[in-house]
Amino acid sequence: MKTVLIVDDHRIVIAGCRRLLSKGGEYEVLDATTAEEAFALCDERQPDVVVLDLGLPGIGGLEVLRKLLEKDPRCRVMIFSMHDDLILVSRALQTGAKGYLTKNDAPEELIVAVEVMLAGGTYLSHAMARELAVLNHGPGRRQDLTPRELDVLRLLGQGLILGDIAERLGISYKTVANTCTQMKDKLTLKNTRELIRFAIEQRFDL
């Protein structure tokens, strides 16, 4: 019997996943509500698939993913998250996740995703896979931005002016201005107005 570990801090989500998986096949379903419980269960039981929420309290979900893979590089982890931002999806896959499912996807997709991963595949919904392909191969890729550039872009999208961003991040106005110039070059945008519009339109909330 294949073992699936659900890692989520909401018991109602765990219960829902259990019900779905019980309809989809013969699985032993384990659960953890914290990163520490997940690490312990992975060490003890070595589940075939880990379904991991990114919104765990304390340690961030991507860091949990990294640590799981450090402990066992063969661990097959699927992210199960409220967030569908493609940058977050891309980062999770680059970190080593073998699948990504949002909590807004159709419930039966959980069963399909687990089956695909048990068969050795990688699972993304068709819509997400298409959008990710555009992001990865189109001009102006956000994943090319540095962590500082991402911070500045996020604050621009929230309506802050350059001086306020400098104060918020504890850096100089000149550094913020230079960072914006670098982002415009990377994203092939003409001016700061286009950069702000880009941040708002992308709902940039990382």
Side-chain angles (χ1 to χ4, degrees):
M1 181 179 292
K2 298 296 185 180
T3 304
V4 179
L5 170 61
I6 309 295
V7 186
D8 197 294
D9 61 325
H10 293 94
R11 285 290 180 186
I12 193 168
V13 172
I14 291 174
C17 290
R18 280 184 176 278
R19 284 196 297 271
L20 285 168
L21 291 171
S22 69
K23 296 177 182 177
E26 294 292 329
Y27 303 114
E28 180 183 8
V29 181
L30 310 174
D31 65 76
T33 58
T34 66
E36 291 73 20
E37 290 178 1
F39 297 146
L41 279 170
C42 283
D43 287 342
E44 179 183 352
R45 301 297 302 277
Q46 296 181 331
D48 296 289
V49 172
V50 177
V51 179
L52 173 64
D53 178 28
L54 287 181
L56 295 176
I59 183 172
L62 289 180
E63 184 61 24
V64 175
L65 172 60
R66 291 189 190 95
K67 288 183 178 297
L68 287 174
L69 293 174
E70 285 175 5
K71 288 173 173 288
D72 182 3
R74 299 168 300 175
C75 185
R76 302 188 65 79
V77 182
M78 182 180 72
I79 301 301
F80 189 43
S81 173
M82 288 293 295
H83 304 289
D84 62 357
D85 188 283
L86 292 179
I87 289 297
L88 191 57
V89 178
S90 181
R91 286 180 178 172
L93 296 176
Q94 289 170 1
T95 302
K98 298 300 182 183
Y100 197 109
L101 193 67
T102 77
K103 294 179 180 179
N104 293 321
D105 287 323
E108 57 270 17
E109 284 205 53
L110 175 63
I111 300 170
V112 176
V114 168
E115 290 177 346
V116 167
M117 293 183 63
L118 285 173
T122 297
Y123 185 83
L124 293 172
S125 69
H126 293 305
M128 185 178 289
R130 285 196 303 270
E131 292 179 24
L132 193 61
V134 172
L135 176 70
N136 287 336
H137 297 98
R141 300 181 301 171
R142 284 187 294 172
Q143 68 265 37
D144 289 340
L145 302 182
T146 67
R148 171 167 287 176
E149 289 167 345
L150 291 171
D151 286 339
V152 172
L153 185 63
R154 174 175 53 81
L155 295 175
L156 279 174
Q158 291 176 4
L160 274 67
I161 61 175
L162 300 193
D164 291 338
I165 293 173
E167 183 176 352
R168 177 76 65 87
L169 297 179
I171 57 180
S172 70
Y173 180 95
K174 183 177 180 180
T175 297
V176 175
N178 289 340
T179 300
C180 288
T181 298
Q182 293 164 1
M183 286 194 291
K184 284 181 284 187
D185 290 341
K186 289 182 178 181
L187 298 168
T188 63
L189 300 173
K190 296 178 181 178
N191 51 48
T192 301
R193 179 175 295 179
E194 287 192 1
L195 184 62
I196 294 171
R197 184 184 300 119
F198 176 84
I200 295 172
E201 288 176 349
Q202 295 296 310
R203 295 176 291 119
F204 198 86
D205 58 0
L206 294 179

